[in-house]
Amino acid sequence: MLLSMTTEPEQQIGVGTQDAFQRLWTPHRMAYIQGENKPTGPGAEDGCPFCTIPSKSDEDGLVIARGTHVYAVLNLYPYNGGHLMVVPYRHVADYTDLDAAETEELAEFTKRAMVALRSASGAHGFNIGMNQGTVAGAGIAAHLHQHIVPRWGGDTNFMPVVGHTKVLPQLLADTRRMLADAWPAGI
């Protein structure tokens, strides 16, 4: 049945108290909430996704670029379209555990990510950071990763504020391809 713009939405029985809100279902988020594919322990052999991603193709792993010591990968549960992470290949939990070469390349890849995101999507700004430890909000605390989240003027609209839902306008595979194509060779 086709609904016209003037037709009232069908009410669902049993979904709670009737109110004026429409429901936007995001069942794909349940995998994140329930910890699907989270490591079972602190070691690299405990199912760390950041240790297994490099063995996949760029497309299957959502890898944007690979360096000698780090790689850039899209976040499976992004805060914004283009949300990516720079991850060392070596399984280390703390920023202070990186050696000089890893620290240098992580910083270089962060700069390249910003250039690629500005070029590919016109990002106006960025949130960049690391959550060090579970209590600090790290979803995978055992393997260091730096977030680069592109931001645009007005990107905090009613959906995340009122609906507690983020609308992402592009599939991750398309975002990966767009950013990989825009990734600069050097800065």
Side-chain angles (χ1 to χ4, degrees):
M1 172 176 114
L2 294 174
L3 297 176
S4 72
M5 294 301 282
T6 59
T7 303
E8 288 294 316
E10 181 180 331
Q11 295 297 318
Q12 294 184 19
I13 297 174
V15 295
T17 306
Q18 184 174 338
D19 56 29
F21 293 103
Q22 295 290 320
R23 301 298 188 264
L24 180 60
W25 303 103
T26 56
H28 64 279
R29 295 284 301 161
M30 190 53 69
Y32 177 76
I33 292 165
Q34 293 178 334
E36 187 176 302
N37 296 323
K38 273 199 169 181
T40 57
E45 67 285 347
D46 294 323
C48 177
F50 296 136
C51 288
T52 60
I53 288 170
S55 66
K56 298 178 179 182
S57 71
D58 288 354
E59 292 76 13
D60 290 342
L62 298 174
V63 174
I64 296 164
R66 297 174 190 258
T68 305
H69 304 287
V70 303
Y71 64 96
V73 63
L74 285 181
N75 190 318
L76 278 178
Y77 308 101
Y79 294 125
N80 260 353
H83 177 178
L84 62 91
M85 298 171 291
V86 177
V87 184
Y89 291 112
R90 191 164 61 97
H91 186 86
V92 296
D94 198 87
Y95 183 65
T96 60
D97 293 335
L98 294 178
D99 64 30
E102 291 166 328
T103 303
E104 182 180 334
E105 193 171 63
L106 186 132
E108 179 69 21
F109 263 53
T110 300
K111 289 169 58 175
R112 290 183 190 188
M114 293 173 67
V115 169
L117 284 161
R118 282 188 182 124
S119 171
S121 67
H124 298 151
F126 301 91
N127 293 115
I128 298 173
M130 298 177 209
N131 300 321
Q132 292 282 267
T134 304
V135 297
I140 299 175
H143 197 132
L144 174 91
H145 52 285
Q146 174 151 280
H147 295 266
I148 297 99
V149 182
R151 302 299 306 267
W152 296 268
D155 69 4
T156 303
N157 59 29
F158 76 94
M159 289 300 289
V161 174
V162 176
H164 303 288
T165 302
K166 190 61 139 176
V167 177
L168 300 169
Q170 190 173 46
L171 296 173
L172 290 176
D174 295 338
T175 302
R176 191 215 66 79
R177 189 172 29 263
M178 178 184 73
L179 292 175
D181 290 346
W183 193 262
I187 305 241

